[in-house]
Amino acid sequence: MHSFLKHLCIWYLVERWSMMALPALLTRLLPLRRLFVLGIGFFTLCFLMTSLGGQFSARRLGDSPFTIRTEVMGGPESRGILRKMSDLLELMVKRMDALARLENVSELHRAGGDLHFPADRMPPGAGLMERIQAIAQNVSDIAVKVDQILRHSLLLHSKVSEGRRDQCEAPSDPKFPDCSGKVEWMRARWTSDPCYAFFGVDGTECSFLIYLSEVEWFCPPLPWRNRTAAQRAPKPLPKVQAVFRSNLSHLLDVMGSGKESLIFMKKRTKRLTAQWALAAQRLAQKLGATQRDQKQILVHIGFLTEESGDVFSPRVLKGGPLGEMVQWADILAALYVLGHGLRVTVSLKELQSNLGVPPGRGSCPLTMPLPFDLIYTDYHGLQQMKQHMGLSFKKYRCRIRVIDTFGTEPAYNHEEYATLHGYRTNWGYWNLNPKQFMTMFREGEVPGHPEQIHGNPWHCVLREPAAP
């Protein structure tokens, strides 16, 4: 802006000198002067478009094209720019008017005193003058309208902020004793995980309370928040009856591919299809007309994920241990034959996608209610879910079934007892119900281990998975 005013002053001095000292030279250079006048008008128009475009292009994504940001245009310097532009155009109109009068005088001298111009010989600056005057008037109108909009927007924003400031303090509610402490924690650590910003936390007290009351559950709902959409619980899916299956071809597709371990599991399942069909037929005869609801089950094989090392897949075809893959293949086949819906994941990315994990480091709850009735996993998968589900892990932990080949005694499972007696291990202190541990033994075969067992076609053991 300063550079433009500097050039304009130089142009004004040169023009004044030319009007006073060189009228004859200006008359001879009339075509060039006309081009210069047109250039000044075009430059002014471009300057206006660039200045206004730069101001209005800074609006937020998703705002209306007619919405102006108070942060960008709200300062007095922004309104001053519009006024300076209007004054600048008025000054240019006066200068161009003087040039036009000089041009008319030159034309009169050359015409020999003829005071009448034909229609096709009107002074070329007249139309340009009208255009510049119209632009100046438009800029003046824009300045007035922008000033009115900004005053109204700032007044409304101040009223809303003033009305909410009193309502964005941690309430003292005995039903939510941890609210104030959680607000303090959020104030100091809200940038520690990008998931908080994903849920709308921006460092303000209101955003802390909104998150802690609507995403988590440590603070009471804010009375001024419109929670109609948040209170609408998703409609439960209609109940579907489970039907025994004897064709396992679709299960082979669900199991996926790309790993030697999966190839081994699929070969085993395909080879034992006849035995599974026979076991399903016998169980159907035993149950008769018993109605069974179909369950949605997520099977996350944690030890096959790259994050856990996946040391088994490279050794499958080289004589490596196959016991874990045998039991997982049989679990998948048993659940599928029973007629339940299955989702199989063997990577952390697939697990996060199926659970609805928000982007970040796993400090926040899931973005949606858990869509699965049961989750079958191992200790690797259990650790991964705890790391990425946030508070939702405690909320949905009763739906987890841990494939624990030899079982876990209560002394190792109970966190407090294991800590006091030195029994803490990599597979213990999860505080799960002992029935959530699934072993390969029949109930009662192993003394002191009342855990359930998973399917085994050789013994025709098809157990209906227990719902939460």
Side-chain angles (χ1 to χ4, degrees), residues 11-28:
W11 168 79
Y12 174 73
L13 292 175
V14 172
E15 189 268 337
R16 289 288 295 173
W17 175 78
S18 63
M19 290 178 62
M20 297 173 59
L22 297 173
L25 181 60
L26 287 173
T27 303
R28 295 176 184 177

Side-chain angles (χ1 to χ4, degrees), residues 338-402:
L338 287 169
H340 298 295
L342 291 183
R343 190 77 57 85
V344 182
T345 59
V346 291
S347 72
L348 185 58
K349 185 177 181 180
E350 292 175 336
L351 175 67
Q352 293 174 332
S353 176
N354 283 278
L355 293 179
V357 175
R361 301 186 180 93
S363 302
C364 300
L366 302 181
T367 59
M368 60 182 182
L370 188 67
F372 301 101
D373 300 303
L374 293 170
I375 300 177
Y376 281 72
T377 188
D378 52 19
Y379 282 113
H380 293 284
L382 196 63
Q383 184 64 43
Q384 291 169 355
M385 285 190 289
K386 181 180 180 181
Q387 182 179 356
H388 294 277
M389 290 177 65
L391 293 175
S392 296
F393 181 79
K394 293 183 178 179
K395 182 177 181 179
Y396 297 116
R397 63 189 300 166
C398 67
R399 304 190 188 189
I400 297 174
R401 301 293 180 267
V402 183

Side-chain angles (χ1 to χ4, degrees), residues 231-240 293-294 296 369-373 399:
Q231 290 175 353
R232 292 177 182 173
K235 295 182 179 180
L237 296 176
K239 295 291 184 180
V240 178
D293 292 334
Q294 185 186 62
Q296 298 301 317
L370 188 67
F372 301 101
D373 300 303
R399 304 190 188 189

